[in-house]
Amino acid sequence: MTPAITLEAFQQAVDILGLVGKIDRQTVRQVYLLLCREFHPDMPTGDHAKFQAINDAYELIETYMNHFRFDFDEAEFTKQYPLFNPFTGLWTSGKID
């Protein structure tokens, strides 16, 4: 079973990717690809540390988006993960657009 995600870890991943408002899989992937292109170590604007942080943030968000699509107890889940709406499958960054 996937270990419990902390709100702080999720929020940090959201901040690294610069996501605001409703977060769906397509938006996360688009932002991830744009940031990877900008910060890839082989690019002139490349930064290995930033690139690694972007990869880690994307992996965390994708892992938990996949996990929560299939396995959750709604009452317990909403207490632990208030930023996820199980009815829409969307995360909320906690920031206002």
Side-chain angles (χ1 to χ4, degrees), residues 2-94:
T2 307
I5 184 174
T6 63
L7 189 56
E8 294 80 22
F10 179 76
Q11 192 62 54
Q12 184 179 18
V14 166
D15 290 342
I16 288 170
L17 295 182
L19 300 168
V20 177
K22 298 292 183 190
I23 302 170
D24 63 9
R25 183 170 265 111
Q26 181 179 3
T27 302
V28 172
R29 180 138 178 90
Q30 286 174 344
V31 169
Y32 166 72
L33 292 175
L34 287 171
L35 290 173
C36 281
R37 183 178 299 172
E38 181 178 348
F39 291 105
H40 192 279
D42 292 341
M43 300 298 283
T45 59
D47 180 347
H48 181 72
K50 179 76 173 171
F51 183 73
Q52 188 62 45
I54 291 165
N55 280 324
D56 292 344
Y58 177 73
E59 184 178 321
L60 183 139
I61 292 171
E62 276 295 305
T63 297
Y64 288 102
M65 285 181 121
N66 285 334
H67 173 70
F68 291 133
R69 273 183 30 204
F70 300 109
D71 181 26
F72 68 87
D73 170 19
E74 187 177 339
E76 184 62 29
F77 180 83
T78 53
K79 283 194 284 186
Q80 289 182 2
Y81 309 105
L83 299 180
F84 184 75
N85 181 338
F87 300 107
T88 63
L90 297 176
W91 288 92
T92 303
S93 67

